[in-house]
Amino acid sequence: MTAQAFKFSSAQSGDHDELSDLVQGKGCYTSDVSLPGQLHACFVRSPHAHAEIASINADAARAMPGVRLVMTGADVAAAGLGCIMPLVVMKGSNGHNLHCSGIPILATDRVRHLGEPVALVAAETLEQALNAAEAVEIDYVSLPCVIDLQQAINPESPLVHPAVSGNVAMDWSQGDSPELDRAFAEAHHVQVLELTDPPLTGSPMEPRAALASYDSQADHYTLVAGTQGVKTIHNVLTKQVFNLAPEKLRVLTPHVGGGFGLKSQTYPEYAALLLASRLAGAPIKWTATRLECFLTDTHGRNTHLRGQMAFDREGRITGLKADVLCGIGAYTSGYIAVVSTMNIYNCLSSVYQMPRLSLRSRLVHTHVMSGGPYRGAGRPEAIYLVERLLDEAAHAMGMPRETLRRRNLVPVSAMPYKAANGLTYDSGEFEAILDKALSLSDWEGFESRRTAALARGRLRGIGVCSFLEVAGGILEEPADIRFTEDGRVALHLGAQGMGQGVHAIYTRLLADKLGVPLSSVVLVTGDSDQVPGIVSTVASRTTMMAGTATTLACEEAIRRGRHFAAHHLEASVEDISFAAGQFTIVGTDRSIGLFDVAKALRHATDLPEGMPKTLDNLTVFKASSVNFPNGCHVSEVEVDPATGSVEFIQHTAVDDVGVMLNPTLVEGQIMGGVVQALGQVMGEMLHYDDYGQLLTGSYMDYPMPRADQIPRMVLAHHEVPCTTHPLGVKGAGESGVAGAWPAAVSALLDALRPAGVAHMDLPFTANRIWSALQSKA
């Protein structure tokens, strides 16, 4: 079944203004896609965080009008479907692999989190499906649950999985050494800090949705779903769940209304819908309600952080120890192992000369939805811990916060710099960026603004965060270039757009590299039959990896074209130049166009030996290293002590994301990250009670940031090209979060400290701030 049968296309012309379509409401999302004769699905979900399923009786539901199917875990088992297993498995410090607890498609004997799917109802209308779901009788035997991370590792706490001792799926450590212990023993000052980072939901504008269909004659499945990469979902479903030949499943992704990491996961609903379509003999469509998103989108953050930082008499860092509990929820999701370990470890050095460091990370099961990557995915957590330690140490040692940071920055002269975590920074001008951020924010003039605010009865604070994160993720990416019969060139990429402007970046890059008009360029994404690769759009890797792969594929097409042009024009290869889409004999006006070469090769029958037969090529870029976006953010805030309400006044962000192919899109990424960080600081939190019931399951209780809460943003760039790949770009998708979250907390505590509040954990809601101030009154 083609994408066109679903009334959308996976190919878009380069001169098509995709972003204009999206802002005008002309996009085509999964819920906009329909098929003739489709049914509508509703999932019956567990009302308990932990319970045994004693029995399921669906007879009444099956007899209701319009109901075509009620499917339970027994049907899934009878079909032989497997669980959804992690994509990354690592070894713990004891040498044992991560204990993998796969996500069941539908629960059978036990549920382990609120909202876990237990049955699927498919009916002719959504209303009929909803009514029938209410009629499915499930007898549960409620069991004790554990929600808090520190309680979960208590030997007396309930186990999420009997085989996982102490609820710790993996105990991982890196960097311990006698030299590090000695640094702490000899330190002039050791700063110790414990922080709690509560769980969040990603809240993309578009909820998860899927349309599944099964062709019984061809024994072929098709899934339309909003994903961050069709190949990842395709591979999990074919290899782990259905045990299918790859050609038996096609995954299509139209426009995606935000991902933020959570849509990189393969969800059990996708597999359930595919099987249900086969059993019901009809396409089946499902769109999650917002409550379902709160309950069953992979949760982000959810860490307990303990850090110790050692300093000498001059305030230079001599060592860092971090001990982290990472909440992974009920099951081990796709990327949770790397999110909870290497992503944190790789960012602990940040922009500072830190001779030694270590991390212990325990991946802890609790009775909530599985954890997964959320914008930054472990990197902001590391930066938050480091920056909070620096702030507290500055106060303890009587040193200005910016001075302590400046004293420890890695200098330009040290590049390339070998960090304590083993990574080598290729580039970075950290002190220049700090200076620029302090200047743009008028750091020196802040005390006069604090005094003026105090006269108005307000507490004003300013905070700073210098940071470096690691971007690039999996260091291999293909690009597939195909020259078409109609005189155009199509770029097939696994990179998936989610509103970040993928179409604009890659069509322009391809047109510029080949010297052809945008109108002759086509980008093909979101079709597992048409795109290469296996990696989702994650880890701020796409422009570096897919962009460089595209550049190399263009260079390969030009190399091949130059050989044919030399043959056609009867010249040596060395005498052929390429510019503006034309191969030309140097010093003459004799030339042949790129598309003419592609057409001639396509129809050639008698080529010399060794002559390329096509310009089409699939080129794989293998990066030698990750890249290191970095920056400095300064946040300024006022607090009303009478109410605890917060007003962010200005947020200054200076970022080094390397060469910017599209500065407008970069700034959009930075601003979006800043807003998400401020949302986390001001109130976002998935608050579960002791029984595993979600108390913040709607936007009435889960406070997403509003437009009137967003401060004036001052954005600046400091481009230092990455030296380890041809484009010179660095990741930009997560820098806004990495810098804004610590800077905002630093500003709030700077405002509250004169009133006696020196420590608070997230979130900084008005009620919690007011209570903290009252306790010091």
Side-chain angles (χ1 to χ4, degrees):
M1 190 173 290
T2 66
Q4 284 73 19
F6 292 89
K7 308 303 181 187
F8 70 90
S9 175
S10 55
Q12 288 192 344
S13 173
D15 59 353
H16 179 77
D17 190 348
E18 181 191 45
L19 296 180
S20 177
D21 279 356
L22 297 181
V23 299
Q24 294 182 70
K26 297 179 181 178
C28 180
Y29 300 90
T30 299
S31 294
D32 297 321
V33 182
S34 295
L35 285 174
Q38 70 187 16
L39 304 176
H40 297 268
C42 174
F43 286 91
V44 181
R45 299 185 181 275
S46 169
H48 301 278
H50 192 203
E52 289 183 356
I53 301 174
S55 65
I56 301 177
N57 185 342
D59 291 345
R62 291 189 175 101
M64 293 180 70
V67 174
R68 295 273 295 274
L69 176 73
V70 178
M71 188 176 80
T72 68
D75 300 303
V76 173
L81 271 59
C83 292
I84 297 168
M85 303 300 288
L87 294 170
V88 178
V89 177
M90 302 169 63
K91 289 186 181 295
S93 52
N94 59 3
H96 296 158
N97 283 342
L98 165 74
H99 192 285
C100 298
S101 301
I103 303 172
I105 306 309
L106 292 175
T108 52
D109 58 341
R110 182 171 292 205
V111 291
R112 292 180 168 86
H113 68 86
L114 184 68
E116 183 167 356
V118 180
L120 178 153
V121 177
E124 292 169 5
T125 69
L126 179 58
E127 183 180 12
Q128 290 171 335
L130 290 168
N131 289 336
E134 293 284 343
V136 177
E137 299 176 2
I138 304 176
D139 185 14
Y140 294 99
V141 179
S142 182
L143 298 170
C145 67
V146 62
I147 304 300
D148 180 78
L149 295 179
Q150 292 177 286
Q151 291 179 3
I153 61 175
N154 187 313
E156 297 180 0
S157 290
L159 294 177
V160 180
H161 300 278
V164 182
S165 176
N167 288 315
V168 177
M170 183 172 68
D171 190 338
W172 183 92
S173 62
Q174 194 90 341
D176 288 321
S177 68
E179 291 79 12
L180 180 59
D181 292 337
R182 190 177 308 118
F184 273 85
E186 298 173 354
H188 170 69
H189 174 73
V190 174
Q191 189 64 49
V192 180
L193 189 63
E194 290 198 28
L195 302 168
T196 297
D197 170 25
L200 308 178
T201 185
S203 291
M205 187 177 295
E206 177 203 21
R208 286 190 294 119
L211 172 61
S213 65
Y214 175 71
D215 183 337
S216 58
Q217 291 186 331
D219 186 26
H220 182 272
Y221 298 86
T222 303
L223 176 71
V224 182
T227 77
Q228 290 183 223
V230 290
K231 281 295 195 179
T232 301
I233 309 301
H234 177 273
N235 287 340
V236 170
L237 291 173
T238 55
K239 294 178 180 178
Q240 295 183 4
V241 180
F242 283 91
N243 192 25
L244 288 174
E247 64 273 13
K248 291 295 184 179
L249 171 66
R250 188 178 194 181
V251 180
L252 295 166
T253 291
H255 286 131
V256 180
F260 310 126
L262 69 90
K263 289 181 183 174
S264 65
Q265 176 65 35
T266 303
Y267 287 91
E269 290 89 349
Y270 302 159
L273 290 162
L274 288 167
L275 176 60
S277 177
R278 191 181 88 192
L279 297 179
I284 300 182
K285 184 175 182 177
W286 166 75
T287 299
T289 65
R290 188 56 69 175
L291 176 58
E292 286 181 297
C293 293
F294 274 101
L295 294 175
T296 63
D297 287 358
T298 52
H299 292 355
R301 307 294 185 239
N302 195 20
T303 55
H304 180 84
L305 307 150
R306 186 178 192 277
Q308 302 176 72
M309 188 175 282
F311 297 86
D312 66 15
R313 290 185 179 277
E314 286 72 40
R316 291 186 174 84
I317 302 168
T318 59
L320 170 67
K321 293 182 179 181
D323 190 340
V324 181
L325 300 179
C326 293
I328 66 172
Y331 303 102
T332 40
S333 67
Y335 295 107
I336 197 64
V338 70
V339 168
S340 304
T341 56
M342 292 305 299
N343 278 11
I344 298 174
Y345 184 68
N346 284 343
C347 291
L348 285 173
S349 288
S350 190
V351 294
Y352 304 111
Q353 297 181 85
M354 200 176 295
R356 300 166 193 86
L357 63 84
S358 70
L359 169 66
R360 181 191 186 190
S361 180
R362 284 169 282 179
L363 281 64
V364 181
H365 281 298
T366 57
H367 288 105
V368 301
M369 175 59 188
S370 302
Y374 171 65
R375 201 168 193 167
R379 302 171 189 87
E381 289 88 329
I383 294 160
Y384 179 52
L385 178 62
V386 169
E387 292 296 300
R388 283 292 307 273
L389 282 165
L390 285 168
D391 271 4
E392 296 306 311
H395 286 290
M397 293 190 289
M399 187 180 299
R401 289 170 291 166
E402 72 278 15
T403 301
L404 182 60
R405 285 168 169 80
R406 188 187 305 279
R407 189 160 296 178
N408 286 283
L409 291 173
V410 177
V412 175
S413 60
M415 297 296 172
Y417 175 75
K418 182 70 173 292
N421 55 22
L423 297 173
T424 299
Y425 303 167
D426 64 287
S427 60
E429 297 176 358
F430 308 142
E431 187 169 15
I433 289 173
L434 172 64
D435 289 340
K436 187 180 290 188
L438 295 180
S439 175
L440 287 172
S441 63
D442 187 22
W443 182 276
E444 292 299 323
F446 171 73
E447 287 305 326
S448 64
R449 299 194 295 277
R450 190 201 294 270
T451 301
L454 193 59
R456 293 183 280 107
R458 298 296 183 99
L459 304 175
R460 192 156 178 143
I462 194 168
V464 62
C465 168
S466 291
F467 69 93
L468 173 145
E469 59 166 349
V470 175
I474 301 168
L475 298 178
E476 183 173 316
E477 184 75 19
D480 185 355
I481 286 183
R482 305 178 194 177
F483 289 80
T484 61
E485 289 276 3
D486 61 358
R488 297 194 293 174
V489 56
L491 173 63
H492 296 243
L493 287 178
Q496 181 62 50
M498 296 168 284
Q500 75 274 45
V502 162
H503 176 268
I505 291 173
Y506 293 111
T507 54
R508 171 57 65 186
L509 180 63
L510 185 68
D512 288 349
K513 294 298 180 183
L514 295 180
V516 299
L518 270 175
S519 58
S520 64
V521 169
V522 175
L523 179 66
V524 180
T525 63
D527 183 344
S528 64
D529 281 2
Q530 293 290 323
V531 302
I534 60 171
V535 183
S536 295
T537 297
V538 293
S540 297
R541 67 185 298 276
T542 306
T543 303
M544 168 194 168
M545 297 302 301
T548 302
T550 298
T551 298
L552 296 179
C554 290
E555 292 174 354
E556 174 62 16
I558 293 168
R559 184 194 69 81
R560 296 183 185 188
R562 185 175 280 114
H563 279 270
F564 179 83
H567 166 70
H568 178 78
L569 298 172
E570 297 180 334
S572 66
V573 173
E574 293 76 15
D575 288 337
I576 300 295
S577 65
F578 180 78
Q582 296 287 320
F583 296 97
T584 304
I585 301 176
V586 176
T588 75
D589 60 358
R590 296 182 60 207
S591 65
I592 182 172
L594 177 69
F595 291 117
D596 293 327
V597 169
K599 182 178 181 179
L601 282 172
R602 187 180 301 113
H603 298 290
T605 57
D606 187 20
L607 292 172
E609 185 176 348
M611 179 66 63
K613 294 179 173 57
T614 178
L615 301 187
D616 297 356
N617 72 90
L618 190 153
T619 297
V620 177
F621 170 54
K622 295 182 179 180
S624 61
S625 171
V626 292
N627 65 86
F628 304 98
N630 60 90
C632 181
H633 287 205
V634 176
S635 200
E636 193 162 337
V637 68
E638 281 191 0
V639 174
D640 182 350
T643 64
S645 62
V646 170
E647 180 186 1
F648 280 94
I649 307 299
Q650 178 173 302
H651 189 88
T652 304
V654 180
D655 286 274
D656 169 18
V657 297
V659 174
M660 294 187 292
L661 300 184
N662 189 318
T664 300
L665 293 178
V666 167
E667 292 194 353
Q669 289 291 302
I670 300 298
M671 294 173 72
V674 169
V675 171
Q676 283 187 296
L678 295 181
Q680 178 177 358
V681 171
M682 289 190 289
E684 289 190 48
M685 177 183 180
L686 289 171
H687 185 191
Y688 289 88
D689 68 14
D690 292 341
Y691 300 97
Q693 296 298 312
L694 182 61
L695 304 181
T696 52
S698 78
Y699 292 128
M700 294 292 289
D701 306 297
Y702 186 96
M704 289 277 284
R706 303 187 306 270
D708 62 354
Q709 294 176 300
I710 306 307
R712 174 175 180 259
M713 290 195 199
V714 177
L715 305 183
H717 306 287
H718 191 90
E719 291 186 62
V720 182
C722 178
T723 64
T724 58
H725 65 91
L727 290 182
V729 301
K730 301 173 185 177
E734 292 155 322
S735 292
V737 174
W741 168 12
V745 172
S746 177
L748 280 162
L749 289 175
D750 185 56
L752 298 173
R753 192 178 294 268
V757 179
H759 178 78
M760 274 186 66
D761 267 322
L762 296 165
F764 285 72
T765 61
N767 181 62
R768 298 183 77 240
I769 290 174
W770 183 86
S771 297
L773 289 170
Q774 291 301 303
S775 71
K776 301 297 181 180

